[in-house]
Amino acid sequence: MIKKLLSLKNIRRLYAAFFLALFVILVGITSFRSMKGYQVSLFLELDPLVALSSFLTSWTVYKGLALSLIIIVGTMVFGRFFCSWICPMGIINQIAGSIFNKLRAVDLIKMNAYRTIYRFKYYGLALFLVLAAFGTIQTGLLDPIPFITRAFAVSVYPAVNYWSGGFYLKQPVFQGGFLLAAIFITVLFANRFINRFWCRSLCPLGALLGLLSFRPIMQIWRDTAKCNDCMKCVQNCHGACDPHASLRTSECMVCMNCISDCPENAMHYGLPKNASSVHTPLDVNRRRLIETAVFGTVMFPMMRSVITSKTAAQHSVIRPPGSIAEGDFLRRCIKCGECMKVCPTNVIQPALLEAGFEGIWTPILLNKIGYCEYNCVLCSRVCPTGAITPLTVEKKIGKPPAQKPLKIGIAFYDRGRCLPWSMHTECIVCEEVCPTSPKAIWFQDVEMQLRDGTTKVFKRPYMDPELCIGCGICENKCPVRDKPAVRVTSIGETRSLTNQMSLKS
Ligand code: SF4
Ligand code: SF4
Ligand code: SF4
């Protein structure tokens, strides 16, 4: 009984439950803004594909990403254990598969047999790496750790909050959140047809780990002398890696189910022995691989042939404080959504096409939804790749005039919509909320004639571009709700040498 409880399969399940809980807690902690000391980006930093792709785009490895060496070396020794023991995306897909697929043994064997479409992930990986080598990081679109972090940040947690009302003071909203939720649900639903469809066919991290576990030191092996070809080892195989025949080590997720399911005690994990089965090499069509690389090479200049925030500054692409210059930002941001999740005002939103196709789901600030809190630097603390560099509050707000504050843009008045400027209505909201000291907004008292012929003194607001940091609270609080009378654009941002006003007062 105890031996059965302590089977490798059950130990794996315990680890999987622990890592899934850890992932949920770490992403959740960012909701409570109490992440001091916690490694909230741990899973992203462990991800070898994040490290490899950001290395290819920037030729540097951001400090936290050195942790991914643990997974790289571990995979070369123990096989693709990450997929069934640690990866929250793999574990959630496995749970979804177990719920959907209550099948007869014969159908389970059919479902868990190897299929040639499982090669597709290697071609996807090749495409992403070619694009990264050219300088555009798109792995975050399908890399499971950024994928699931983003899905939790912009759809799962807001949905849970909607029903429970417990996490946030205010219900968070995200542009395109429904699309991200729909993609996530579709991926989970795919398990209804093929167990772990995502992991077996699409996952570029699975492909990278598959390459690394091509010849692992420790591996699953079958004692051919004991095996009676009952195929029970295939029934619950996570990797669809043919454990009953010549095992495909690159597909094997070391789930240990075959060992527990074999009635003849013919399946083992460890150093292969003389009596063990032979292993099948990686199933990749070299011609298709070359075609994919050529496709990436052709696609890259096409992606660059459109105007993006990298080629010409876009007023709507306001990045979080501490962001590096736009070109480097797009080379580093993996679209994980950690910064969106942690922002207390919900101002950080996933971009749609504002920053071009390359910038899809990267963070931009939408002041209609929130504003950048003056004393907050949280987003700079969670970014795993250095797209947003760590800030201190002192560095962010500066000490004018000696030490300049960090600017993310400048606010402009739309005088045709501003109440004191055009509607003969008193309003000082923007000046009251402006957090800088001295305030960036100042007034000029102007006596104006009203419609009935009487006169009245109004305070007309003006902007001091030297003092404005672009926090956007004035835009967010402006009583002209649909299109505020004061709006922030990215010009003047500290991170750019060129996105500046060429004439100054
Ligand atoms: S620094 Fe500003 S943008 Fe970043 S998390 Fe804080 S409030 Fe949000
Ligand atoms: S900028 Fe935001 S979305 Fe991009 S890598 Fe950093 S935390 Fe993730
Ligand atoms: S954006 Fe508005 S509130 Fe913020 S510093 Fe500039 S003027 Fe003040």
Side-chain angles (χ1 to χ4, degrees):
M1 174 72 179
I2 291 184
K3 201 175 163 201
K4 199 173 173 195
L5 276 177
L6 287 179
S7 66
L8 285 169
K9 175 179 165 178
N10 282 340
I11 293 171
R12 191 257 308 153
R13 280 177 170 164
L14 276 179
Y15 270 91
F18 168 76
F19 281 112
L20 182 59
L22 184 66
F23 172 78
V24 173
I25 290 168
L26 287 180
V27 181
I29 278 172
T30 55
S31 302
F32 301 104
R33 332 284 173 229
S34 58
M35 57 200 207
K36 212 172 170 186
Y38 295 103
Q39 197 71 16
V40 289
S41 308
L42 177 68
F43 283 83
L44 291 156
E45 289 170 6
L46 280 173
D47 183 337
L49 188 54
V50 171
L52 175 62
S53 49
S54 59
F55 172 73
L56 284 175
T57 51
S58 63
W59 293 105
T60 51
V61 178
Y62 194 58
K63 52 184 189 319
L65 297 176
L67 272 181
S68 64
L69 275 177
I70 298 172
I71 302 298
I72 294 173
V73 175
T75 305
M76 291 164 89
V77 175
F78 300 109
R80 212 175 127 188
F81 70 102
F82 182 83
C83 302
S84 276
W85 293 62
I86 298 178
C87 178
M89 185 73 176
I91 295 163
I92 286 187
N93 271 289
Q94 186 56 39
I95 294 170
S98 318
I99 294 168
F100 285 131
N101 300 315
K102 304 275 181 229
L103 302 176
R104 291 177 307 155
V106 61
D107 294 324
L108 278 175
I109 290 173
K110 218 187 274 174
M111 178 180 274
N112 289 327
Y114 180 76
R115 301 168 201 228
T116 45
I117 53 160
Y118 298 162
R119 294 172 180 169
F120 184 81
K121 60 181 176 294
Y122 295 103
Y123 306 139
L125 174 70
L127 176 67
F128 285 133
L129 293 185
V130 167
L131 289 175
F134 279 119
T136 175
I137 196 162
Q138 297 303 325
T139 43
L141 293 173
L142 290 187
D143 183 342
I145 306 298
F147 183 96
I148 193 170
T149 308
R150 185 172 61 235
F152 267 62
V154 306
S155 37
V156 175
Y157 277 96
V160 171
N161 187 70
Y162 182 81
W163 290 113
S164 70
F167 283 142
Y168 305 86
L169 294 175
K170 195 173 131 202
Q171 172 68 33
V173 288
F174 292 98
Q175 73 167 351
F178 178 74
L179 175 69
L180 287 161
I183 296 172
F184 186 53
I185 290 167
T186 307
V187 166
L188 295 188
F189 194 64
N191 290 289
R192 167 76 183 73
F193 306 99
I194 296 182
N195 205 25
R196 293 193 76 158
F197 174 76
W198 164 278
C199 312
R200 293 174 184 175
S201 318
L202 298 177
C203 180
L205 176 58
L208 178 63
L209 297 176
L211 293 176
L212 291 171
S213 61
F214 177 54
R215 283 187 195 283
I217 296 173
M218 308 278 281
Q219 50 191 262
I220 297 283
W221 60 274
R222 183 170 53 99
D223 187 336
T224 48
K226 286 186 180 170
C227 174
N228 64 5
D229 293 325
C230 69
M231 292 183 75
K232 287 202 168 133
C233 53
V234 185
Q235 277 179 32
N236 297 303
C237 174
H238 286 190
C241 52
D242 292 345
H244 65 299
S246 355
L247 184 93
R248 297 170 188 274
T249 42
S250 293
E251 304 301 316
C252 175
M253 299 178 191
V254 203
C255 69
M256 308 290 182
N257 286 351
C258 53
I259 297 178
S260 301
D261 292 347
C262 177
E264 303 299 325
N265 204 19
M267 300 300 301
H268 304 274
Y269 177 69
L271 299 171
K273 301 259 166 56
N274 288 341
S276 70
S277 51
V278 287
H279 290 160
T280 300
L282 193 65
D283 181 24
V284 183
N285 184 316
R286 230 177 269 173
R287 197 187 161 94
R288 296 279 169 276
L289 211 54
I290 293 168
E291 282 169 7
T292 313
V294 172
F295 177 64
T297 312
V298 173
M299 205 172 134
F300 175 74
M302 288 185 177
M303 283 167 73
R304 287 289 161 88
S305 64
V306 292
I307 296 172
T308 65
S309 52
K310 190 173 173 180
T311 52
Q314 304 290 307
H315 69 274
S316 57
V317 179
I318 304 167
R319 298 292 188 189
S323 296
I324 53 180
E326 185 64 11
D328 295 331
F329 187 89
L330 289 175
R331 274 193 280 273
R332 281 205 177 266
C333 176
I334 51 165
K335 316 163 197 285
C336 68
E338 283 275 15
C339 51
M340 302 165 204
K341 176 82 172 48
V342 77
C343 181
T345 71
N346 199 197
V347 67
I348 309 184
Q349 297 285 319
L352 298 177
L353 290 174
E354 294 89 339
F357 178 75
E358 278 181 70
I360 193 166
W361 296 335
T362 56
I364 55 170
L365 271 57
L366 290 189
N367 294 318
K368 275 189 83 169
I369 296 174
Y371 54 89
C372 183
E373 185 73 54
Y374 193 53
N375 285 311
C376 172
V377 288
L378 286 174
C379 53
S380 78
R381 299 282 169 83
V382 294
C383 180
T385 62
I388 309 175
T389 50
L391 283 181
T392 57
V393 175
E394 294 71 34
K395 193 172 167 197
K396 183 184 172 192
I397 63 180
K399 262 197 191 143
Q403 188 197 336
K404 289 198 168 174
L406 200 141
K407 277 178 186 288
I408 52 179
I410 295 176
F412 290 81
Y413 277 104
D414 184 339
R415 292 184 179 177
R417 299 177 68 83
C418 178
L419 301 178
W421 272 98
S422 63
M423 311 270 174
H424 291 170
T425 305
E426 285 178 87
C427 175
I428 55 165
V429 171
C430 53
E431 195 265 353
E432 280 196 325
V433 294
C434 180
T436 62
S437 176
K439 285 182 185 278
I441 295 170
W442 58 279
F443 292 119
Q444 196 177 46
D445 289 336
V446 181
E447 189 175 65
M448 288 196 286
Q449 189 178 2
L450 306 181
R451 193 171 178 179
D452 63 7
T454 58
T455 57
K456 190 173 175 185
V457 175
F458 286 95
K459 286 185 177 301
R460 277 180 172 172
Y462 283 82
M463 187 63 58
D464 184 336
E466 287 300 316
L467 294 175
C468 176
I469 54 171
C471 72
I473 192 170
C474 51
E475 177 177 340
N476 184 260
K477 303 294 180 200
C478 177
V480 184
R481 298 309 302 165
D482 62 338
K483 186 177 178 190
V486 58
R487 298 189 294 277
V488 176
T489 82
S490 65
I491 193 129
E493 52 185 349
T494 307
R495 71 190 183 120
S496 171
L497 292 175
T498 51
N499 188 19
Q500 305 292 332
M501 285 187 272
S502 40
L503 297 177
K504 292 195 176 169
S505 59

